[in-house]
Amino acid sequence: MFEARSRLGRIGLQLLVTLLVIPFLLPLVAMVQGSLVGAGFENYLAVLRVGSIGTFFLSSAIISAGVILLVYAVTMLTAFGFAKFRIRRKELYFWLLLACLTLPEVVLLAPLFATFVSTGLYDTYWAVILPLAALQIPFAVLLVRTFIEGIPDELFEAARVDGASSWRGFIHLVIPLTRPIAAAVLIFTLIGAWNNYLLPLVFLQDPAKQTITLLPSYFIGQFSHDQTKVLASAVITAIPVVVAYLCLQRLFERGLAAGAIK
């Protein structure tokens, strides 16, 4: 890691980091300020008085939890296989998996719609959980594979000498040692699942199953557009993700630094 040793170097580095952060902070500051225009915190109370807000949060929580569990299980097993098993043409399979990163979700809507209608999954949580998980897995595998490759092979060889199977090595070595990168995967997956707008809009028609990202639409109509309450809705929607990041910040930074660079 780079380190500024002199006082002048630290000041220059601090100024550089501050300048890089400002463009990302300005939209957030503008969003919070705009949500307080006019009635102030009454805008937030008006949003909280929407009758379906509890249902929105519950649906988003169910979808996010399902996506996180599915992504975590598939990612850890897949990354372990790619990193530590001798599999014929595994690099070809790995690059085919990474090629899925180039697929935008909008081009998948038509085939997914036809598939879910024919299988009876349309207007169920699974119609959102499965595609979201599939879109998150390639990047998560890329991060976790690099992290697992950094675990010494001698640990797994010692476990085999003691009679442990590959499955026990995965449970007792990989799972505990990958906590930092697992936190990074959790945060990225939570952001992608919680903030997704398009898939719930298309595949969830029952109002009782719609997610929190659809909350701002309650204040946008044909003859009205209450911008302050739309911004207040956006702030309320972002709070769970911000809290999750703050709780896992240290593990997230460690995992991202270790998983991004071999």
Side-chain angles (χ1 to χ4, degrees):
M1 298 295 290
F2 295 104
E3 182 179 355
R5 299 184 181 275
S6 66
R7 183 178 180 182
L8 183 61
R10 290 195 294 270
I11 293 174
L13 184 59
Q14 184 65 50
L15 289 174
L16 176 61
V17 172
T18 302
L19 291 174
L20 291 174
V21 168
I22 286 176
F24 297 95
L25 287 179
L26 286 178
L28 298 178
V29 173
M31 181 175 69
V32 175
Q33 287 182 338
S35 67
L36 295 173
V37 171
F41 285 102
E42 182 64 29
N43 295 327
Y44 288 90
L45 296 177
V47 173
L48 294 175
R49 283 195 290 265
V50 173
S52 303
I53 190 170
T55 302
F56 288 162
F57 270 106
L58 179 61
S59 297
S60 292
I62 292 173
I63 291 173
S64 298
V67 174
I68 288 171
L69 291 175
L70 194 56
V71 169
Y72 179 79
V74 174
T75 295
M76 290 300 169
L77 290 170
T78 304
F80 180 51
F82 278 127
K84 297 300 181 182
F85 281 74
R86 294 186 176 90
I87 304 172
R88 291 184 60 188
R89 301 173 182 171
K90 72 175 182 179
E91 292 302 323
L92 173 62
Y93 299 141
F94 181 69
W95 286 105
L96 288 175
L97 180 66
L98 293 187
C100 297
L101 289 171
T102 63
L103 291 175
E105 63 183 28
V106 67
V107 303
L108 302 175
L109 289 181
L112 285 174
F113 183 86
T115 301
F116 292 144
V117 169
S118 62
T119 56
L121 293 178
Y122 183 74
D123 202 19
T124 66
Y125 290 131
W126 288 111
V128 178
I129 291 174
L130 293 176
L132 280 177
L135 290 169
Q136 298 277 351
I137 286 172
F139 180 68
V141 171
L142 175 63
L143 284 179
V144 178
R145 179 192 180 181
T146 307
F147 191 97
I148 294 178
E149 284 177 343
I151 300 176
D153 293 334
E154 288 77 8
L155 291 176
F156 297 96
E157 293 172 1
R160 293 191 190 96
V161 170
D162 290 338
S165 62
S166 298
W167 175 251
R168 292 191 64 184
F170 173 77
I171 295 296
H172 296 288
L173 290 176
V174 174
I175 297 299
L177 294 175
T178 55
R179 285 175 55 197
I181 197 65
V185 170
L186 187 152
I187 293 296
F188 280 123
T189 305
L190 175 62
I191 292 173
W194 187 270
N195 291 337
N196 191 271
Y197 176 81
L198 183 60
L199 295 182
L201 178 67
V202 175
F203 297 132
L204 296 178
Q205 298 301 309
D206 186 353
K209 298 176 182 176
Q210 291 176 347
T211 60
I212 194 66
T213 53
L214 302 179
L215 179 61
S217 62
Y218 273 65
F219 305 100
I220 301 174
Q222 183 176 1
F223 303 106
S224 64
H225 184 81
D226 196 335
Q227 189 66 31
T228 58
K229 292 182 178 60
V230 170
L231 293 174
S233 302
V235 173
I236 292 173
T237 301
I239 288 175
V241 177
V242 173
V243 172
Y245 173 77
L246 293 177
C247 293
L248 300 173
Q249 180 180 6
R250 186 169 298 177
L251 286 174
F252 173 80
E253 293 173 353
R254 284 174 50 198
L256 197 60
I261 304 173
K262 183 178 178 181

